[in-house]
Amino acid sequence: MCWDGGSLLCCDQCPLAFHTECLAPWQLPQKKASGASVGNSWGCPHHYCKLCARKAHEVGGLLFRCTECPSAYCEDHVPMKEARFNESGRELRFEELGQSKPTQAYFMQCGPNCIRFRETRLNKGILAAIQESQARGKGSGI
């Protein structure tokens, strides 16, 4: 999410990867009392609503996923006034990583910081977007 290298936790359901320290404790893979992981796979924050934690199948089959940060929203919680929605709901960057457009996802930018980050990333490159974001004191997005 922060574009830094290092040891990453890869989502088992999409091409995203995170540093464990960049996620909240409740977003990390859960462990049983024995220390073993719960379940066989881990889904990143793009697979449940940021505000109510419901998954796509619990909210009518669709989550709105931000292309620039780890946020996803159900229809009840998507920030409609601040968000910018991608044409056709696709995200070329994820498709280039091998992800077909998920039927349960519509890609967007969730607010002004993510919109600005995306514009800079597309026009000037990722390093410029990170530097500009850090100068503003905001996280750098996905």
Side-chain angles (χ1 to χ4, degrees), residues 48-122:
Y48 50 85
C49 178
K50 177 180 182 176
L51 299 177
C52 68
R54 293 182 295 171
K55 295 183 178 191
H57 72 276
E58 298 172 301
V59 296
L62 184 69
L63 288 174
F64 295 87
R65 298 179 186 178
C66 185
T67 61
E68 309 305 314
C69 77
S71 299
Y73 300 89
C74 67
E75 188 175 0
D76 292 336
H77 295 113
V78 66
M80 295 297 285
K81 292 180 181 178
E82 296 181 344
R84 180 185 293 167
F85 299 90
N86 288 17
E87 187 174 331
S88 303
R90 302 176 75 120
E91 176 54 30
L92 180 61
R93 182 165 52 108
F94 296 152
E95 290 177 11
E96 289 173 344
L97 291 170
Q99 180 185 45
S100 299
K101 185 200 174 293
T103 57
Q104 75 280 12
Y106 198 100
F107 291 100
M108 60 153 190
Q109 294 77 58
C110 66
N113 291 330
C114 290
I115 292 168
R116 188 177 305 116
F117 189 89
R118 178 185 175 85
E119 289 171 352
T120 304
R121 178 176 60 79
L122 294 175

Side-chain angles (χ1 to χ4, degrees), residues 28-39:
L28 294 169
Q30 299 300 304
K31 303 259 185 205
K32 295 179 182 177
S34 66
S37 293
V38 173

